[in-house]
Amino acid sequence: MMEDKDLRWFELGLVPESYIVSKEYRPENLDIPFSDSIPVIDLANIPLEAILKASHDFGFFQVMNHGVPEKTMNDAMNVMKEFFDMPWKDESGIVPNSKNWVYVKSSNFAKDGVHLWRDNLKHPCYPLQKCIPLWPNNPPTYQKVIAEYVVEIHKLSLKIFEMILKGLGLDPGYFNDTSEVQLLAANFYPPCPDPSLTLGSFPHRDPSLITVLNQANSTGLQVLKNGEWINVGVIPNALVVNIGNQLEIISNGRLRSVEHRVVTKKHEGRRTIATHVNPSPDCIIEPAKALVNESEPPRYKAFRYRDFVERNKAFGDYTNALQTVARSS
Ligand code: OGA
Ligand code: NI
């Protein structure tokens, strides 16, 4: 039996008041079925149509036969598990909130005074070779394992972009030099004594082009569809892909960046690695010229990606960021 003083923040057997989200954010129904989940797409079939349809109807899909080796996915998840399970209070060599990576223990972070039910680690990934030495070096295999993972996710993102560009009828080179896995965000959402009171992540849209999520066979991710939250199901070895704000803008609204959130579970934890594939900071983002005309005028203004991020960072969740660049109709 562990002594009380060794209990971690999520092991107290009750939800501390500072973790209770306001009523409007509380998940109302935690028993929604998994049946109407997001589409599952086999990349081996070069499924242009299916990707475009899923990106329009849901903004989310899962991919199988994506080319990221199972071992690379599992190794990455295992090294993250080790990272999050480290006894932080007496860990040496760890510099929380260092310049290059940020470890956010749930208890250290509050949005509007409320803690999310998760621990989170974030770091930049581009340019990769420059970033690797600045990542955590404990567990000792962290840098090697995660670098391999990022390389594979980058390859996959190029494959997905190729299909999306072909499907939209855009130049296949559109993203060649401007899209990179820029940011990795890993999360540990522990089991929660009362999931009706907490959230693992507030509803948000991603500021990326696309985000590729390894959810390691755990549930908890929900996507807003026709005003209802739907669950993202578990498909072994699949990866979850979602369209971010930038691709909604470039596609002039044909692909959609959709709100999603993470709910907590009473008996299961959730571990994820999200890789955000973003434009380079100085890139100008605007609806692709080939997709706008008199009957389909541009819905968004042109802007520098860096300015979009700066302008919206303050809100933290990018939920309404698209509105800041929308043209009034
Ligand atoms: C994100 C995200 C979901 C998850 O990182 O943008 O939505 O399940 N993550 O961790
Ligand atoms: Ni997200």
Side-chain angles (χ1 to χ4, degrees):
M1 219 8 220
M2 275 195 289
E3 305 253 339
D4 265 10
K5 65 178 168 55
D6 289 332
L7 289 180
R8 296 171 70 181
W9 64 267
F10 55 87
E11 293 172 324
L12 304 173
L14 55 87
V15 176
E17 198 149 335
S18 63
Y19 286 76
I20 299 178
V21 298
S22 62
K23 279 219 171 63
E24 54 169 320
Y25 283 115
R26 283 183 213 165
E28 275 172 15
N29 180 3
L30 287 162
D31 297 321
I32 48 179
F34 279 84
S35 50
D36 298 322
S37 193
I38 61 172
V40 181
I41 296 179
D42 184 344
L43 286 192
N45 302 332
I46 320 193
L48 310 186
E49 289 298 318
I51 288 188
L52 286 201
K53 183 163 170 36
S55 302
H56 178 267
D57 295 351
F58 292 84
F60 270 77
F61 51 91
Q62 302 212 42
V63 289
M64 292 159 45
N65 290 320
H66 44 63
V68 181
E70 206 178 310
K71 182 171 185 310
T72 308
M73 286 174 65
N74 293 339
D75 287 355
M77 205 44 95
N78 288 337
V79 88
M80 285 301 180
K81 179 172 189 316
E82 270 185 71
F83 179 89
F84 283 110
D85 287 348
M86 281 194 294
W88 287 93
K89 47 186 181 315
D90 49 41
E91 186 53 53
S92 56
I94 298 293
V95 189
N97 299 318
S98 78
K99 264 209 317 266
N100 302 298
W101 55 277
V102 184
Y103 170 66
V104 187
K105 224 174 156 135
S106 180
S107 49
N108 288 348
F109 170 81
K111 178 178 151 58
D112 303 333
V114 178
H115 295 282
L116 289 172
W117 200 264
R118 72 161 187 207
D119 288 335
N120 169 267
L121 168 70
K122 276 191 189 67
H123 56 63
C125 298
Y126 187 80
L128 186 58
Q129 294 309 323
K130 282 212 171 106
C131 289
I132 295 170
L134 307 174
W135 294 347
N137 56 8
N138 201 358
T141 55
Y142 185 97
Q143 296 177 355
K144 179 171 178 294
V145 166
I146 296 303
E148 270 175 39
Y149 182 74
V150 169
V151 166
E152 291 296 335
I153 296 291
H154 183 231
K155 280 194 238 166
L156 168 61
S157 69
L158 293 180
K159 229 185 270 184
I160 294 170
F161 285 144
E162 193 183 322
M163 293 186 207
I164 287 179
L165 290 171
K166 217 179 236 175
L168 289 173
L170 293 179
D171 177 354
Y174 205 95
F175 294 125
N176 272 7
D177 304 314
T178 56
S179 71
E180 295 292 341
V181 179
Q182 299 269 3
L183 178 74
L184 178 145
N187 298 288
F188 170 42
Y189 308 94
C192 174
D194 188 347
S196 72
L197 300 177
T198 59
L199 279 180
S201 148
F202 281 109
H204 68 279
R205 295 187 174 92
D206 294 355
S208 57
L209 287 161
I210 59 170
T211 299
V212 182
L213 181 78
N214 180 350
Q215 60 168 1
N217 299 336
S218 57
T219 60
L221 179 61
Q222 299 188 327
V223 174
L224 200 59
K225 168 83 172 146
N226 301 330
E228 310 268 347
W229 290 104
I230 60 170
N231 287 310
V232 174
V234 166
I235 315 279
N237 301 318
L239 288 160
V240 177
V241 179
N242 68 284
I243 304 299
N245 288 340
Q246 307 318 309
L247 209 43
E248 169 150 354
I249 293 161
I250 289 164
S251 70
N252 204 29
R254 288 178 207 201
L255 313 183
R256 290 176 42 239
S257 170
V258 170
E259 235 174 292
H260 50 287
R261 69 178 183 184
V262 177
V263 295
T264 62
K265 299 279 151 133
K266 191 153 188 170
H267 299 293
E268 296 158 46
R270 171 177 175 82
R271 293 169 189 278
T272 63
I273 305 174
T275 31
H276 297 277
V277 183
N278 296 351
S280 50
D282 287 318
C283 216
I284 302 288
I285 301 292
E286 63 185 336
K289 297 267 186 327
L291 299 179
V292 299
N293 52 46
E294 241 163 68
S295 62
E296 298 246 11
R299 298 185 187 187
Y300 302 103
K301 300 175 230 177
F303 57 90
R304 196 176 299 276
Y305 182 59
R306 182 197 300 281
D307 298 336
F308 180 91
V309 172
E310 280 307 313
R311 190 173 334 139
N312 291 293
K313 202 158 62 180
F315 305 112
D317 55 15
Y318 294 93
T319 307
N320 298 315
L322 282 175
Q323 285 158 23
T324 66
V325 293
R327 283 175 191 270
S328 43
S329 45

